[in-house]
Amino acid sequence: MARPSRPRRRAATVLAAGASLILALSACSPSSGTAATSPAGTGSGLPDAHVHGLSVSSETGQVLLATHDGLFDVTKQPATKIGATNDLMGFTGGTDHGVLYASGHPGEGSSLPNPIGLIRSTDAGKTWEQLSRQDESDFHALTATKSGIVGFDGALRTSPDGKTWTTVATDFVPAVLAGNPTSDTVLATTPQGSRRSTDGGKTWTMADSGPVVQFAAFASPAEAVGVEPDGTVHTSADAGATWIRKGKIQETVQAVAAVKGADAQLAIWAATAAGLVVSTDGGMTFRSANAP
């Protein structure tokens, strides 16, 4: 039975786990360009050990992983490399099917600047165009809202079109930014607790209660998923205002996605150290995504 989420914990282990994610992201170096086209050597069934983003299409079921060595389609095994090799640190889907936004560093042989700023694909990652902040920004946290793009590159920034930016004064460093392209609600996860915006990232409030989640994702404008550093899963029916505790992901989580399928059921995907897992019962139980 689902249980109300317990009050936010401030134990040192939780703070360290949240902070370690931020440090790990900032420490990643440009891609070596030695991406594999199969999961061989990772020991997890994933094409790369460094997963920075996860996207699942509600229309096609396509599962994409943004990694240190580029973008991979992991809908089926073996994984298939999509497009050029670049270290995609920030990654998010756009309003339309096939539209993706990313940021990070160029891979070996790439003509992109370093850092690559904000880039956009309209063909599900096969090709990319440079939008803005080339040679300036490596957005480690990135999401799309109804009003535009929200990103964090050392400063929190919002953009209506991915080209012109406004810097937002904040007192927090987000590990993850989560939004929905048809809503202006954004969640920012931090070691001190979640921050929430309802105006596309322009202003923020701190959650007074609820779990300290390290990862967050939206399946719809109202339905959100949060995962604690220890893998405990929570869901929200009111865009992150309140949470219900569900099950637990046993392995270390690297990225999370949530989607509502044609049957209107909530599916939660997670890239973990042991491989890709999925829940089709609202986060109560998880199984290998490659299981029959």
Side-chain angles (χ1 to χ4, degrees):
M1 180 180 296
R3 294 169 285 175
S5 296
R6 57 186 179 276
R8 182 166 64 245
R9 296 179 292 144
R10 299 185 183 274
T13 54
V14 173
L15 296 179
S20 67
L21 174 70
I22 298 169
L23 292 172
L25 289 178
S26 60
C28 282
S29 60
S31 170
S32 65
T34 57
T37 56
S38 72
T42 66
S44 65
L46 300 181
D48 193 275
H50 301 281
V51 176
H52 300 152
L54 172 62
S55 171
V56 180
S57 171
S58 60
E59 294 188 22
T60 66
Q62 184 183 40
V63 184
L64 298 178
L65 284 184
T67 79
H68 185 66
D69 282 313
L71 186 66
F72 290 85
D73 184 337
V74 293
T75 311
K76 298 179 180 179
Q77 292 296 321
T80 303
K81 182 73 172 291
I82 300 177
T85 297
N86 291 295
D87 184 4
L88 303 179
M89 296 296 300
F91 178 73
T92 190
T95 303
D96 298 323
H97 175 64
V99 174
L100 303 170
Y101 295 91
S103 189
H105 304 280
E108 184 177 337
S110 173
S111 60
L112 291 174
N114 188 14
I116 63 178
L118 184 70
I119 56 176
R120 176 177 63 191
S121 174
T122 57
D123 55 11
K126 296 183 182 70
T127 61
W128 297 86
E129 62 176 318
Q130 300 175 42
L131 287 185
S132 63
R133 298 194 66 80
Q134 279 69 48
D135 283 318
E136 294 182 283
S137 290
D138 170 15
F139 290 104
H140 282 184
L142 194 64
T143 195
T145 71
K146 184 170 66 175
S147 294
I149 305 296
V150 185
F152 184 82
D153 63 352
L156 190 71
R157 306 181 194 274
T158 63
S159 173
D161 55 8
K163 297 179 181 179
T164 59
W165 294 86
T166 299
T167 302
V168 180
T170 61
D171 61 354
F172 62 89
V173 175
V176 170
L177 292 169
N180 184 281
T182 60
S183 166
D184 274 335
T185 299
V186 185
L187 297 177
T189 70
T190 82
Q192 294 76 35
S194 297
R195 307 297 179 102
R196 189 169 181 264
S197 171
T198 57
D199 56 9
K202 296 178 180 67
T203 61
W204 296 83
T205 58
M206 185 169 184
D208 294 327
S209 61
V212 174
V213 296
Q214 185 176 15
F215 299 93
F218 278 87
S220 69
E223 198 156 8
V225 173
V227 181
E228 293 186 57
D230 69 355
T232 301
V233 177
H234 305 259
T235 62
S236 173
D238 52 15
T242 60
W243 298 89
I244 296 293
R245 183 180 178 182
K246 295 300 182 74
K248 187 173 183 178
I249 301 169
Q250 296 302 320
E251 301 294 335
T252 302
V253 177
Q254 299 185 56
V256 170
V259 66
K260 298 272 280 194
D263 57 1
Q265 295 298 310
L266 173 65
I268 304 169
W269 296 73
T272 78
L276 193 65
V277 298
V278 62
S279 171
T280 55
D281 58 8
M284 294 302 297
T285 61
F286 286 81
R287 59 174 174 80
S288 169
N290 298 319

